[in-house]
Structure formats: structure tokens, C-alpha cells
Amino acid sequence: MLLGVNIDHVATLRNARGELEPSVIEAAKICIKSGANGITAHLREDRRHIVDFDVFSLKNDLKCRLNLEMAATYEMQKIALELLPDACCIVPEKREEITTEGGLDVASNPEKIQKFIEPLIEAGIQVSLFIDPDRHQVSAASDTGAPFIELHTGAYSRAFGKQNEEEEFTKLKQATSLAHLLGLKVNAGHGLNYNNVLRILEIKDIHELNIGHSIISKALFVGLDKAVSEMLELVNKI
Ligand code: PXP
């Protein structure tokens, strides 16, 4: 299983002062040096953390494997076609949300998503759709021609250690099986941490995990290199 480190919150901290520290590029360098398989960054419409300069430096200066998270807007499509990240994860976006709260609703209009992602796929970008672990969303995602989905693990993460953990975990397991039957590759992420990630590893066919908040939080206490390598130790356990 691969690990992509989401470095949005390095930019959150930098933007709190409106200056240059901490450097997103330096953070990405440390993640890659510590063994991360790639860097994930969400360029939000309101640029609350990652800004355009960050994604272009990650791609052109650092040349790391870059997964760009973005909303399905034409502004973002244009940036992605110029940037040509290795991967693009299409996420829903609401200005008032603190983080990406739910998955993309592909099922209500798969044709619209298909049309949106077509130029990205043609440009050689690995497109994934960030969806809830729901069979209607999984089969709609497969209708769009996207090669990947990323399953939203937020509900599982919140349920971890509680009564509904089993229910939420089963949803992820079943969604992964269906996706494989339909020929989709499966990534997963959101809310994963050093405790709840272990159970996710039981789902054998997940290709990549994208983890941000828990790694950047731990980095405050142990350093980013150690925070990344401790997560990698867990992710590589199986
Ligand atoms: N995957 C996607 C699509 C996301 O939007 C996010 C949050 O930006 C993550 C993974 C990482 O979530 P977290 O920061 O909770 O680990």
C-alpha cells in the first residue's frame, strides 16, 4: 500500500502569519526523503491553505509525485491541464466547510463528471473521484471512465472505537470489493490516524492512502521525518 502525505496544513500554518514559514516545499522534501510515495495538496477555490505557487513548485522544482485535490470547476481544470500533476482527485467543495465533509455526488450526474474529467484523462493524469463508500456512488464512478476512486474514510474514522465502527468498516470493505469487480483502483483517505489506520490495512486491495492532519499534527511533537516514517511503518505492516 502506498502513502501520499497531504501537506495542506503546513500551508495553513504558513498562511496564519502571511509570510514564508514553514515552507511547503521543505516539508514535501522531508516527506519524500522519509519514504512517502507522493505528496497530496488540495488547491481550494478560496486558497485558504495551498496556493497556486505551491503546486507549481511541487511539480516543477521538487518533481515529486503530485496528487492534486481539486473541485470540479473550470478554473481548476485549467490549472490542472497546465500543471499536469501525476494524479488528480476530484472532491466536492463548500466554502463554509472546515474540511472535505462528504464525498462527491457522482450518482446524480455521472455524465457531467465524465465530461469534466475527460480532458484530464486525455492529458495523461490519473483521475480519481473522492466518494463515500456507497454502492451507487461506486458504480456511477465506474460509468464515468475514471480509473480510480478514493473512498472517504471520515465516517469510519469518526466511528473508530465506537458502536458503529463495524458498520462503517464494512461499508469500506464492500465498496472496495465492488470497485474491484468494476475494474476501478481504490485509494482511501480522510481522518486516518496512527490508531485507526491499522484496520484499513485489512482491506487488501487498497492502492494508496492519503493522510494529512494526523501526520502534520504528530510532526509538531516528533518532527516530520519521524511522523512520516512511523506512519509508513504501519502502512507497510501488511
Ligand atoms: N483525501 C482527500 C480527498 C481529502 O480531501 C483529504 C483532506 O484534505 C485527505 C485525503 C486527508 O485527510 P486528513 O487530513 O484528515 O488526513
Side-chain angles (χ1 to χ4, degrees):
M1 213 177 275
L2 304 179
L3 174 67
V5 179
N6 180 314
I7 52 165
D8 292 350
H9 295 311
V10 176
T12 302
L13 190 56
R14 175 195 62 192
N15 297 357
R17 272 290 167 98
E19 298 196 22
L20 299 175
E21 282 184 337
S23 157
V24 165
I25 298 299
E26 283 308 311
K29 267 189 206 163
I30 293 170
C31 294
I32 298 295
K33 207 167 157 216
S34 308
N37 304 100
I39 297 297
T40 293
H42 185 173
L43 186 65
R44 292 187 78 103
E45 191 193 2
D46 62 8
R47 309 299 198 270
R48 70 173 70 156
H49 36 55
I50 293 291
V51 296
D52 303 49
F53 168 80
D54 295 322
V55 291
F56 281 93
S57 307
L58 288 167
K59 177 71 188 154
N60 300 329
D61 304 334
L62 191 57
K63 299 190 187 341
C64 62
R65 188 175 159 272
L66 176 64
N67 173 29
L68 176 72
E69 291 176 1
M70 59 178 233
T73 66
Y74 288 100
E75 182 206 4
M76 288 300 153
Q77 190 191 58
K78 191 163 167 268
I79 293 171
L81 290 173
E82 195 187 331
L83 175 68
L84 297 178
D86 303 85
C88 239
C89 181
I90 314 299
V91 302
E93 208 173 286
K94 290 193 216 108
R95 272 187 180 258
E96 65 276 15
E97 70 191 356
I98 294 172
T99 181
T100 316
E101 280 159 12
L104 193 67
D105 182 9
V106 186
S108 69
N109 200 344
E111 295 81 14
K112 188 174 161 208
I113 299 289
Q114 179 178 17
K115 233 175 121 202
F116 181 80
I117 63 175
E118 244 165 30
L120 303 172
I121 294 176
E122 272 168 25
I125 302 169
Q126 271 184 359
V127 174
S128 77
L129 305 178
F130 188 49
I131 56 171
D132 289 326
D134 169 280
R135 67 190 167 89
H136 301 291
Q137 297 297 344
V138 175
S139 53
S142 131
D143 293 340
T144 67
F148 278 84
I149 54 171
E150 179 166 328
L151 292 176
H152 197 311
T153 50
Y156 158 75
S157 299
R158 279 192 303 277
F160 186 73
K162 302 198 182 114
Q163 238 182 359
N164 57 337
E165 174 184 332
E166 204 54 44
E167 185 190 335
E168 294 301 335
F169 180 70
T170 303
K171 285 185 197 165
L172 289 169
K173 232 168 119 174
Q174 289 177 345
T176 305
S177 303
L178 175 61
H180 280 116
L181 273 177
L182 297 171
L184 288 162
K185 291 200 180 119
V186 180
N187 297 332
H190 212 285
L192 296 177
N193 62 33
Y194 295 80
N195 297 318
N196 63 27
V197 75
L198 283 172
R199 226 184 148 188
I200 294 292
L201 306 179
E202 290 172 26
I203 310 174
K204 293 281 180 287
D205 295 323
I206 294 182
H207 176 77
E208 179 173 55
L209 298 178
N210 285 305
I211 306 181
H213 190 265
S214 65
I215 294 178
I216 304 303
S217 302
K218 192 176 187 91
L220 289 177
F221 302 105
V222 303
L224 187 54
D225 52 348
K226 201 151 180 272
V228 172
S229 47
E230 280 183 25
M231 184 59 84
L232 272 167
E233 245 171 66
L234 298 175
V235 169
N236 291 331
K237 248 191 178 143
I238 297 189

